[in-house]
Amino acid sequence: MRKYFLILVLSVLSLPNVMAQKQKKPNILFILLDDLGYADVGFNGQTKILTPNLDQLASEGMNFTQHYAGAPVCGPSRAVLMTGKHLGHCSVRANPKWTKSGKPLDLDQQDVTVAKELKRAGYTTACIGKWGLGENLTTGIPNQQGFDYFYGFNSHKNAHRYYPEKVWRNDVHERIEGNITKQKKGKYITDLFTAEAKEFIKKNKEKPFYLHLAYTTPHFELTIPEERKAYYKEQNWPLREMKKGHYYHDRNGHVTYASMVTDVDRQIGEVLALLKDLNIDKNTLVIFASDNGHEYDNGKEFFDSNGVYKGKKRDLYEGGIHVPFVAKWEGKIKAGTTCNEMFTFWDFLPTACEIAGIQPTDHEIDGISYLPTLLGKTKKQKQHDYLYWEFNERKGPIQLVRKGDWKLINFIHKDRQQLFKITDDISEQSNLINQYPEKAEELRKILKEARTEHPEFPLVKKGNSK
C-alpha cells in the first residue's frame, strides 16, 4: 500500500512539470539574409550556388511562392517586418537620409515591435546581426524595442563590413580584437553572428525564446576567407572583376558571391542542428527569408538570381520585393508543402502574436496572421484585400498596389503608370494601362487611401530623380 501511495504522490508532484512542458510556448527563430534573390537558393531553382541546408529546410517545411518583403531596400523592409505596418503607415519608409530633412529616421517609442509583443507573452528575445533601425542610437536601438539581448550593427554603413573593428553588444560598442577592416583581417562577422546565436539558444533552451538572426550575407561588400572559395574556384566561371571603392570587394565576384551564400547556408545548418541536438527543434518555428531582392547580378544575370522576375533591389517590380520564404515547424507544418497565397513581411507580427496566444497591441496594423496556413487550416485563412508599397529614394517616389491578379506601379517622378495582370505576365512585360482604364482607376483610388501622410516622406519628386 505504501508503494502505491508513493507512486501516486510522485505522479501528482510531477503533474505540473508535465503540464508545463505541454503548455510551453513554441520558440520562434527568424533567419533573415540581406539582398538574397528569390532564385539564389536551390529550392527556388538555383543551379550554380549550393544551398543544401536551406533546401532541406524547404523540403521539411512550407515554401511560400508569393511572399513579399516589406520594401525593396533593407531599412524600411525591416521596419515593416518589426511593426506589422506596410509602407503607407510605417514610421520608417526609406533608408537613412532619404528623408525630407536629410536626417536618418529610426523606430520610436510609440512603435510596437514583434519583440515587444513577444516579451509581453513571456518570451526571452534577442536580435543578432544587422538591425539597421537605430542610426541615431536612441529610441530605435534593439534594447529599446523589446529585445533583451543585441549583438550586431545598429546602423547600415557599419553593416557593410565583414571584418568590422567594432560591433554593438547591447549598449556597448565592443572592439573585435585583431580585426583590421581595410585589410580584411581578423574574425569574419558571419562566424561571430552564428556563435552568438548558438550561445543564446543554449542559454534559453528551457524557456520560450524569439531570436531574430539577421545575417548581412550576401550584401556588398563581397568578401570571404580565401579557403572557403575552394569549390567555386574549380568551376572555371568567367571572371566578374569587382573594383574596390566604398566596398572592399574580393576580386572575383562570381566565386565570392557563391561562396558567401554557400557558407552562410552551412552556418544556418549548424544553428538548425543545434536545435535538434538540444531536443527543441519540434517546439521551434523556423522562418527563413531575404529582406529584399538581389543586387549582385546587375543586369548580367550570371546566377539568374530572380528567375523569371523583372528587376532587383530598389525596384517595385517583382524582382525587388518577391523574396524566398520558408517556414518549418515539425509536427505542425506538413513537410514538403507549398503555399501559393500572397503574404508579406507585415504579416509576421500578427502571426507571432497568435502563436504566443496574445492579441496585437496596435489594432491598426496592416498584417494578417498566416498561422492557419502554417497549420493547414486554409479555410480559416484571411486574405489581403490589397498590398501596398512605396519607394522614397533616388528614383522615387514610386508607389505600388497589388489587388488580386493586378498590380499598378505609379512613377511619380516620371508622371507615368504601369498596369500588369501579374498572373498572366509574371515577368511584367506588357503594360496594360491603356487597355484596362477602369481597372487602373480602381487601383489609383487604393493608392490614395492606402497611406497616411508623413512629413519626412512627402509624395513629391526628388530633386535628383531621373
Side-chain angles (χ1 to χ4, degrees), residues 145-172:
Q145 293 295 334
F147 287 100
D148 297 310
Y149 181 71
F150 172 58
Y151 181 86
F153 300 116
N154 274 302
S155 62
H156 289 259
K157 188 174 181 179
N158 291 333
H160 296 169
R161 307 305 179 195
Y162 286 88
Y163 295 90
E165 293 170 17
K166 287 187 175 181
V167 66
W168 288 97
R169 188 186 298 275
N170 296 318
D171 60 353
V172 177

PDB file of all heavy atoms in Angstrom, residues 145-172:
ATOM      1  N   GLN A 145      13.572  48.468 -28.171  1.00  0.00           N
ATOM      2  CA  GLN A 145      12.462  47.982 -28.994  1.00  0.00           C
ATOM      3  C   GLN A 145      12.062  46.552 -28.667  1.00  0.00           C
ATOM      4  O   GLN A 145      11.527  45.834 -29.504  1.00  0.00           O
ATOM      5  CB  GLN A 145      12.838  48.107 -30.481  1.00  0.00           C
ATOM      6  CG  GLN A 145      12.963  49.536 -30.966  1.00  0.00           C
ATOM      7  CD  GLN A 145      11.632  50.285 -30.930  1.00  0.00           C
ATOM      8  OE1 GLN A 145      10.553  49.685 -31.017  1.00  0.00           O
ATOM      9  NE2 GLN A 145      11.693  51.614 -30.797  1.00  0.00           N
ATOM     10  N   GLY A 146      12.311  46.165 -27.418  1.00  0.00           N
ATOM     11  CA  GLY A 146      11.791  44.882 -26.949  1.00  0.00           C
ATOM     12  C   GLY A 146      12.774  43.732 -26.922  1.00  0.00           C
ATOM     13  O   GLY A 146      12.423  42.630 -26.507  1.00  0.00           O
ATOM     14  N   PHE A 147      14.004  43.966 -27.327  1.00  0.00           N
ATOM     15  CA  PHE A 147      14.980  42.878 -27.339  1.00  0.00           C
ATOM     16  C   PHE A 147      15.798  42.879 -26.046  1.00  0.00           C
ATOM     17  O   PHE A 147      16.396  43.894 -25.675  1.00  0.00           O
ATOM     18  CB  PHE A 147      15.906  42.989 -28.545  1.00  0.00           C
ATOM     19  CG  PHE A 147      15.238  42.617 -29.841  1.00  0.00           C
ATOM     20  CD1 PHE A 147      14.766  43.590 -30.704  1.00  0.00           C
ATOM     21  CD2 PHE A 147      15.060  41.287 -30.183  1.00  0.00           C
ATOM     22  CE1 PHE A 147      14.142  43.259 -31.893  1.00  0.00           C
ATOM     23  CE2 PHE A 147      14.434  40.934 -31.373  1.00  0.00           C
ATOM     24  CZ  PHE A 147      13.969  41.916 -32.229  1.00  0.00           C
ATOM     25  N   ASP A 148      15.835  41.728 -25.392  1.00  0.00           N
ATOM     26  CA  ASP A 148      16.619  41.574 -24.163  1.00  0.00           C
ATOM     27  C   ASP A 148      18.116  41.602 -24.456  1.00  0.00           C
ATOM     28  O   ASP A 148      18.911  42.052 -23.627  1.00  0.00           O
ATOM     29  CB  ASP A 148      16.275  40.247 -23.483  1.00  0.00           C
ATOM     30  CG  ASP A 148      14.820  40.182 -23.042  1.00  0.00           C
ATOM     31  OD1 ASP A 148      14.361  41.123 -22.380  1.00  0.00           O
ATOM     32  OD2 ASP A 148      14.144  39.185 -23.381  1.00  0.00           O
ATOM     33  N   TYR A 149      18.469  41.093 -25.634  1.00  0.00           N
ATOM     34  CA  TYR A 149      19.890  40.978 -25.966  1.00  0.00           C
ATOM     35  C   TYR A 149      20.106  41.388 -27.421  1.00  0.00           C
ATOM     36  O   TYR A 149      19.293  41.070 -28.299  1.00  0.00           O
ATOM     37  CB  TYR A 149      20.381  39.546 -25.762  1.00  0.00           C
ATOM     38  CG  TYR A 149      21.851  39.351 -26.074  1.00  0.00           C
ATOM     39  CD1 TYR A 149      22.830  39.872 -25.232  1.00  0.00           C
ATOM     40  CD2 TYR A 149      22.244  38.651 -27.208  1.00  0.00           C
ATOM     41  CE1 TYR A 149      24.179  39.709 -25.533  1.00  0.00           C
ATOM     42  CE2 TYR A 149      23.588  38.479 -27.504  1.00  0.00           C
ATOM     43  CZ  TYR A 149      24.553  39.016 -26.663  1.00  0.00           C
ATOM     44  OH  TYR A 149      25.884  38.856 -26.965  1.00  0.00           O
ATOM     45  N   PHE A 150      21.203  42.108 -27.658  1.00  0.00           N
ATOM     46  CA  PHE A 150      21.549  42.524 -29.012  1.00  0.00           C
ATOM     47  C   PHE A 150      23.038  42.376 -29.238  1.00  0.00           C
ATOM     48  O   PHE A 150      23.855  42.763 -28.408  1.00  0.00           O
ATOM     49  CB  PHE A 150      21.141  43.983 -29.250  1.00  0.00           C
ATOM     50  CG  PHE A 150      21.641  44.544 -30.552  1.00  0.00           C
ATOM     51  CD1 PHE A 150      21.302  43.944 -31.766  1.00  0.00           C
ATOM     52  CD2 PHE A 150      22.452  45.675 -30.589  1.00  0.00           C
ATOM     53  CE1 PHE A 150      21.765  44.459 -32.974  1.00  0.00           C
ATOM     54  CE2 PHE A 150      22.915  46.196 -31.792  1.00  0.00           C
ATOM     55  CZ  PHE A 150      22.566  45.583 -32.987  1.00  0.00           C
ATOM     56  N   TYR A 151      23.375  41.805 -30.386  1.00  0.00           N
ATOM     57  CA  TYR A 151      24.767  41.734 -30.818  1.00  0.00           C
ATOM     58  C   TYR A 151      24.765  41.969 -32.324  1.00  0.00           C
ATOM     59  O   TYR A 151      24.219  41.161 -33.088  1.00  0.00           O
ATOM     60  CB  TYR A 151      25.379  40.370 -30.511  1.00  0.00           C
ATOM     61  CG  TYR A 151      26.841  40.254 -30.913  1.00  0.00           C
ATOM     62  CD1 TYR A 151      27.843  40.676 -30.043  1.00  0.00           C
ATOM     63  CD2 TYR A 151      27.200  39.729 -32.155  1.00  0.00           C
ATOM     64  CE1 TYR A 151      29.184  40.585 -30.420  1.00  0.00           C
ATOM     65  CE2 TYR A 151      28.532  39.632 -32.525  1.00  0.00           C
ATOM     66  CZ  TYR A 151      29.524  40.060 -31.653  1.00  0.00           C
ATOM     67  OH  TYR A 151      30.848  39.965 -32.026  1.00  0.00           O
ATOM     68  N   GLY A 152      25.340  43.107 -32.755  1.00  0.00           N
ATOM     69  CA  GLY A 152      25.357  43.350 -34.183  1.00  0.00           C
ATOM     70  C   GLY A 152      25.520  44.814 -34.547  1.00  0.00           C
ATOM     71  O   GLY A 152      26.189  45.577 -33.846  1.00  0.00           O
ATOM     72  N   PHE A 153      24.883  45.190 -35.652  1.00  0.00           N
ATOM     73  CA  PHE A 153      25.009  46.528 -36.215  1.00  0.00           C
ATOM     74  C   PHE A 153      23.719  47.316 -36.035  1.00  0.00           C
ATOM     75  O   PHE A 153      22.662  46.893 -36.504  1.00  0.00           O
ATOM     76  CB  PHE A 153      25.329  46.459 -37.710  1.00  0.00           C
ATOM     77  CG  PHE A 153      26.608  45.731 -38.033  1.00  0.00           C
ATOM     78  CD1 PHE A 153      26.579  44.556 -38.764  1.00  0.00           C
ATOM     79  CD2 PHE A 153      27.834  46.227 -37.613  1.00  0.00           C
ATOM     80  CE1 PHE A 153      27.744  43.888 -39.086  1.00  0.00           C
ATOM     81  CE2 PHE A 153      29.017  45.571 -37.930  1.00  0.00           C
ATOM     82  CZ  PHE A 153      28.974  44.390 -38.663  1.00  0.00           C
ATOM     83  N   ASN A 154      23.805  48.475 -35.399  1.00  0.00           N
ATOM     84  CA  ASN A 154      22.647  49.353 -35.293  1.00  0.00           C
ATOM     85  C   ASN A 154      22.396  50.093 -36.597  1.00  0.00           C
ATOM     86  O   ASN A 154      21.248  50.348 -36.976  1.00  0.00           O
ATOM     87  CB  ASN A 154      22.859  50.388 -34.182  1.00  0.00           C
ATOM     88  CG  ASN A 154      22.456  49.868 -32.826  1.00  0.00           C
ATOM     89  OD1 ASN A 154      21.311  49.472 -32.627  1.00  0.00           O
ATOM     90  ND2 ASN A 154      23.388  49.862 -31.889  1.00  0.00           N
ATOM     91  N   SER A 155      23.461  50.479 -37.286  1.00  0.00           N
ATOM     92  CA  SER A 155      23.349  51.319 -38.467  1.00  0.00           C
ATOM     93  C   SER A 155      23.715  50.556 -39.732  1.00  0.00           C
ATOM     94  O   SER A 155      24.293  49.473 -39.684  1.00  0.00           O
ATOM     95  CB  SER A 155      24.247  52.548 -38.322  1.00  0.00           C
ATOM     96  OG  SER A 155      25.606  52.156 -38.214  1.00  0.00           O
ATOM     97  N   HIS A 156      23.395  51.155 -40.868  1.00  0.00           N
ATOM     98  CA  HIS A 156      23.593  50.499 -42.157  1.00  0.00           C
ATOM     99  C   HIS A 156      25.052  50.484 -42.601  1.00  0.00           C
ATOM    100  O   HIS A 156      25.566  49.454 -43.022  1.00  0.00           O
ATOM    101  CB  HIS A 156      22.754  51.203 -43.229  1.00  0.00           C
ATOM    102  CG  HIS A 156      21.297  50.955 -43.084  1.00  0.00           C
ATOM    103  ND1 HIS A 156      20.606  50.041 -43.849  1.00  0.00           N
ATOM    104  CD2 HIS A 156      20.382  51.488 -42.244  1.00  0.00           C
ATOM    105  CE1 HIS A 156      19.346  50.028 -43.506  1.00  0.00           C
ATOM    106  NE2 HIS A 156      19.181  50.896 -42.531  1.00  0.00           N
ATOM    107  N   LYS A 157      25.702  51.628 -42.535  1.00  0.00           N
ATOM    108  CA  LYS A 157      27.044  51.750 -43.103  1.00  0.00           C
ATOM    109  C   LYS A 157      28.010  50.765 -42.458  1.00  0.00           C
ATOM    110  O   LYS A 157      28.818  50.126 -43.159  1.00  0.00           O
ATOM    111  CB  LYS A 157      27.551  53.181 -42.941  1.00  0.00           C
ATOM    112  CG  LYS A 157      28.852  53.456 -43.675  1.00  0.00           C
ATOM    113  CD  LYS A 157      29.222  54.933 -43.604  1.00  0.00           C
ATOM    114  CE  LYS A 157      30.509  55.214 -44.365  1.00  0.00           C
ATOM    115  NZ  LYS A 157      30.872  56.639 -44.319  1.00  0.00           N
ATOM    116  N   ASN A 158      27.947  50.622 -41.137  1.00  0.00           N
ATOM    117  CA  ASN A 158      28.840  49.686 -40.460  1.00  0.00           C
ATOM    118  C   ASN A 158      28.559  48.247 -40.862  1.00  0.00           C
ATOM    119  O   ASN A 158      29.443  47.390 -40.829  1.00  0.00           O
ATOM    120  CB  ASN A 158      28.721  49.846 -38.949  1.00  0.00           C
ATOM    121  CG  ASN A 158      29.280  51.167 -38.469  1.00  0.00           C
ATOM    122  OD1 ASN A 158      30.160  51.732 -39.093  1.00  0.00           O
ATOM    123  ND2 ASN A 158      28.757  51.683 -37.365  1.00  0.00           N
ATOM    124  N   ALA A 159      27.319  47.976 -41.248  1.00  0.00           N
ATOM    125  CA  ALA A 159      26.934  46.618 -41.632  1.00  0.00           C
ATOM    126  C   ALA A 159      27.463  46.231 -43.007  1.00  0.00           C
ATOM    127  O   ALA A 159      27.272  45.088 -43.441  1.00  0.00           O
ATOM    128  CB  ALA A 159      25.413  46.486 -41.603  1.00  0.00           C
ATOM    129  N   HIS A 160      28.140  47.158 -43.697  1.00  0.00           N
ATOM    130  CA  HIS A 160      28.730  46.851 -44.996  1.00  0.00           C
ATOM    131  C   HIS A 160      30.063  46.137 -44.874  1.00  0.00           C
ATOM    132  O   HIS A 160      30.671  45.801 -45.891  1.00  0.00           O
ATOM    133  CB  HIS A 160      28.940  48.145 -45.798  1.00  0.00           C
ATOM    134  CG  HIS A 160      27.669  48.845 -46.147  1.00  0.00           C
ATOM    135  ND1 HIS A 160      27.655  50.130 -46.659  1.00  0.00           N
ATOM    136  CD2 HIS A 160      26.370  48.462 -46.066  1.00  0.00           C
ATOM    137  CE1 HIS A 160      26.399  50.504 -46.870  1.00  0.00           C
ATOM    138  NE2 HIS A 160      25.617  49.509 -46.516  1.00  0.00           N
ATOM    139  N   ARG A 161      30.522  45.922 -43.646  1.00  0.00           N
ATOM    140  CA  ARG A 161      31.859  45.354 -43.438  1.00  0.00           C
ATOM    141  C   ARG A 161      31.777  43.941 -42.849  1.00  0.00           C
ATOM    142  O   ARG A 161      31.013  43.694 -41.920  1.00  0.00           O
ATOM    143  CB  ARG A 161      32.671  46.236 -42.479  1.00  0.00           C
ATOM    144  CG  ARG A 161      32.735  47.703 -42.883  1.00  0.00           C
ATOM    145  CD  ARG A 161      33.265  47.890 -44.284  1.00  0.00           C
ATOM    146  NE  ARG A 161      33.305  49.298 -44.689  1.00  0.00           N
ATOM    147  CZ  ARG A 161      33.454  49.695 -45.948  1.00  0.00           C
ATOM    148  NH1 ARG A 161      33.570  48.803 -46.915  1.00  0.00           N
ATOM    149  NH2 ARG A 161      33.467  50.988 -46.238  1.00  0.00           N
ATOM    150  N   TYR A 162      32.593  43.051 -43.387  1.00  0.00           N
ATOM    151  CA  TYR A 162      32.625  41.669 -42.880  1.00  0.00           C
ATOM    152  C   TYR A 162      33.783  41.433 -41.914  1.00  0.00           C
ATOM    153  O   TYR A 162      33.848  40.373 -41.291  1.00  0.00           O
ATOM    154  CB  TYR A 162      32.682  40.683 -44.045  1.00  0.00           C
ATOM    155  CG  TYR A 162      31.345  40.585 -44.744  1.00  0.00           C
ATOM    156  CD1 TYR A 162      31.013  41.458 -45.775  1.00  0.00           C
ATOM    157  CD2 TYR A 162      30.392  39.663 -44.339  1.00  0.00           C
ATOM    158  CE1 TYR A 162      29.787  41.402 -46.395  1.00  0.00           C
ATOM    159  CE2 TYR A 162      29.153  39.592 -44.955  1.00  0.00           C
ATOM    160  CZ  TYR A 162      28.846  40.466 -45.981  1.00  0.00           C
ATOM    161  OH  TYR A 162      27.609  40.407 -46.583  1.00  0.00           O
ATOM    162  N   TYR A 163      34.667  42.427 -41.795  1.00  0.00           N
ATOM    163  CA  TYR A 163      35.731  42.382 -40.788  1.00  0.00           C
ATOM    164  C   TYR A 163      35.681  43.687 -39.984  1.00  0.00           C
ATOM    165  O   TYR A 163      36.658  44.431 -39.934  1.00  0.00           O
ATOM    166  CB  TYR A 163      37.096  42.201 -41.443  1.00  0.00           C
ATOM    167  CG  TYR A 163      37.259  40.882 -42.153  1.00  0.00           C
ATOM    168  CD1 TYR A 163      36.919  40.757 -43.506  1.00  0.00           C
ATOM    169  CD2 TYR A 163      37.735  39.757 -41.489  1.00  0.00           C
ATOM    170  CE1 TYR A 163      37.057  39.548 -44.166  1.00  0.00           C
ATOM    171  CE2 TYR A 163      37.879  38.538 -42.145  1.00  0.00           C
ATOM    172  CZ  TYR A 163      37.530  38.451 -43.478  1.00  0.00           C
ATOM    173  OH  TYR A 163      37.667  37.246 -44.130  1.00  0.00           O
ATOM    174  N   PRO A 164      34.556  43.972 -39.350  1.00  0.00           N
ATOM    175  CA  PRO A 164      34.426  45.239 -38.624  1.00  0.00           C
ATOM    176  C   PRO A 164      35.354  45.274 -37.422  1.00  0.00           C
ATOM    177  O   PRO A 164      35.678  44.238 -36.835  1.00  0.00           O
ATOM    178  CB  PRO A 164      32.959  45.240 -38.189  1.00  0.00           C
ATOM    179  CG  PRO A 164      32.636  43.785 -38.035  1.00  0.00           C
ATOM    180  CD  PRO A 164      33.381  43.103 -39.136  1.00  0.00           C
ATOM    181  N   GLU A 165      35.761  46.460 -37.056  1.00  0.00           N
ATOM    182  CA  GLU A 165      36.633  46.601 -35.894  1.00  0.00           C
ATOM    183  C   GLU A 165      35.845  46.762 -34.608  1.00  0.00           C
ATOM    184  O   GLU A 165      36.371  46.541 -33.521  1.00  0.00           O
ATOM    185  CB  GLU A 165      37.579  47.779 -36.125  1.00  0.00           C
ATOM    186  CG  GLU A 165      38.558  47.479 -37.253  1.00  0.00           C
ATOM    187  CD  GLU A 165      39.362  48.683 -37.698  1.00  0.00           C
ATOM    188  OE1 GLU A 165      39.415  49.686 -36.947  1.00  0.00           O
ATOM    189  OE2 GLU A 165      39.949  48.623 -38.800  1.00  0.00           O
ATOM    190  N   LYS A 166      34.554  47.098 -34.752  1.00  0.00           N
ATOM    191  CA  LYS A 166      33.685  47.202 -33.580  1.00  0.00           C
ATOM    192  C   LYS A 166      32.309  46.665 -33.908  1.00  0.00           C
ATOM    193  O   LYS A 166      31.870  46.701 -35.059  1.00  0.00           O
ATOM    194  CB  LYS A 166      33.570  48.656 -33.106  1.00  0.00           C
ATOM    195  CG  LYS A 166      34.809  49.196 -32.416  1.00  0.00           C
ATOM    196  CD  LYS A 166      34.535  50.577 -31.820  1.00  0.00           C
ATOM    197  CE  LYS A 166      35.715  51.079 -31.022  1.00  0.00           C
ATOM    198  NZ  LYS A 166      35.432  52.410 -30.417  1.00  0.00           N
ATOM    199  N   VAL A 167      31.639  46.172 -32.878  1.00  0.00           N
ATOM    200  CA  VAL A 167      30.268  45.688 -33.023  1.00  0.00           C
ATOM    201  C   VAL A 167      29.542  45.971 -31.710  1.00  0.00           C
ATOM    202  O   VAL A 167      30.159  45.988 -30.635  1.00  0.00           O
ATOM    203  CB  VAL A 167      30.264  44.179 -33.365  1.00  0.00           C
ATOM    204  CG1 VAL A 167      30.800  43.340 -32.215  1.00  0.00           C
ATOM    205  CG2 VAL A 167      28.872  43.713 -33.768  1.00  0.00           C
ATOM    206  N   TRP A 168      28.244  46.210 -31.788  1.00  0.00           N
ATOM    207  CA  TRP A 168      27.476  46.505 -30.568  1.00  0.00           C
ATOM    208  C   TRP A 168      27.084  45.227 -29.840  1.00  0.00           C
ATOM    209  O   TRP A 168      26.595  44.270 -30.446  1.00  0.00           O
ATOM    210  CB  TRP A 168      26.209  47.285 -30.923  1.00  0.00           C
ATOM    211  CG  TRP A 168      26.465  48.699 -31.328  1.00  0.00           C
ATOM    212  CD1 TRP A 168      26.573  49.199 -32.593  1.00  0.00           C
ATOM    213  CD2 TRP A 168      26.668  49.810 -30.448  1.00  0.00           C
ATOM    214  NE1 TRP A 168      26.840  50.539 -32.568  1.00  0.00           N
ATOM    215  CE2 TRP A 168      26.892  50.956 -31.271  1.00  0.00           C
ATOM    216  CE3 TRP A 168      26.673  49.963 -29.059  1.00  0.00           C
ATOM    217  CZ2 TRP A 168      27.121  52.223 -30.728  1.00  0.00           C
ATOM    218  CZ3 TRP A 168      26.901  51.220 -28.528  1.00  0.00           C
ATOM    219  CH2 TRP A 168      27.129  52.334 -29.348  1.00  0.00           C
ATOM    220  N   ARG A 169      27.345  45.216 -28.544  1.00  0.00           N
ATOM    221  CA  ARG A 169      26.799  44.189 -27.652  1.00  0.00           C
ATOM    222  C   ARG A 169      25.922  44.946 -26.666  1.00  0.00           C
ATOM    223  O   ARG A 169      26.422  45.621 -25.771  1.00  0.00           O
ATOM    224  CB  ARG A 169      27.896  43.419 -26.929  1.00  0.00           C
ATOM    225  CG  ARG A 169      27.346  42.206 -26.145  1.00  0.00           C
ATOM    226  CD  ARG A 169      28.437  41.540 -25.330  1.00  0.00           C
ATOM    227  NE  ARG A 169      29.521  41.009 -26.154  1.00  0.00           N
ATOM    228  CZ  ARG A 169      29.490  39.813 -26.731  1.00  0.00           C
ATOM    229  NH1 ARG A 169      28.433  39.032 -26.593  1.00  0.00           N
ATOM    230  NH2 ARG A 169      30.518  39.414 -27.462  1.00  0.00           N
ATOM    231  N   ASN A 170      24.612  44.881 -26.874  1.00  0.00           N
ATOM    232  CA  ASN A 170      23.672  45.734 -26.147  1.00  0.00           C
ATOM    233  C   ASN A 170      24.077  47.197 -26.354  1.00  0.00           C
ATOM    234  O   ASN A 170      24.169  47.650 -27.486  1.00  0.00           O
ATOM    235  CB  ASN A 170      23.585  45.318 -24.683  1.00  0.00           C
ATOM    236  CG  ASN A 170      23.015  43.912 -24.538  1.00  0.00           C
ATOM    237  OD1 ASN A 170      22.062  43.550 -25.230  1.00  0.00           O
ATOM    238  ND2 ASN A 170      23.603  43.114 -23.665  1.00  0.00           N
ATOM    239  N   ASP A 171      24.384  47.942 -25.291  1.00  0.00           N
ATOM    240  CA  ASP A 171      24.717  49.365 -25.470  1.00  0.00           C
ATOM    241  C   ASP A 171      26.218  49.640 -25.417  1.00  0.00           C
ATOM    242  O   ASP A 171      26.634  50.783 -25.284  1.00  0.00           O
ATOM    243  CB  ASP A 171      23.997  50.206 -24.415  1.00  0.00           C
ATOM    244  CG  ASP A 171      24.377  49.809 -22.992  1.00  0.00           C
ATOM    245  OD1 ASP A 171      25.098  48.800 -22.819  1.00  0.00           O
ATOM    246  OD2 ASP A 171      23.945  50.495 -22.048  1.00  0.00           O
ATOM    247  N   VAL A 172      27.029  48.602 -25.547  1.00  0.00           N
ATOM    248  CA  VAL A 172      28.483  48.758 -25.540  1.00  0.00           C
ATOM    249  C   VAL A 172      29.016  48.509 -26.945  1.00  0.00           C
ATOM    250  O   VAL A 172      28.756  47.469 -27.558  1.00  0.00           O
ATOM    251  CB  VAL A 172      29.143  47.775 -24.547  1.00  0.00           C
ATOM    252  CG1 VAL A 172      30.659  47.909 -24.612  1.00  0.00           C
ATOM    253  CG2 VAL A 172      28.633  48.014 -23.131  1.00  0.00           C
TER     254      VAL A 172
END
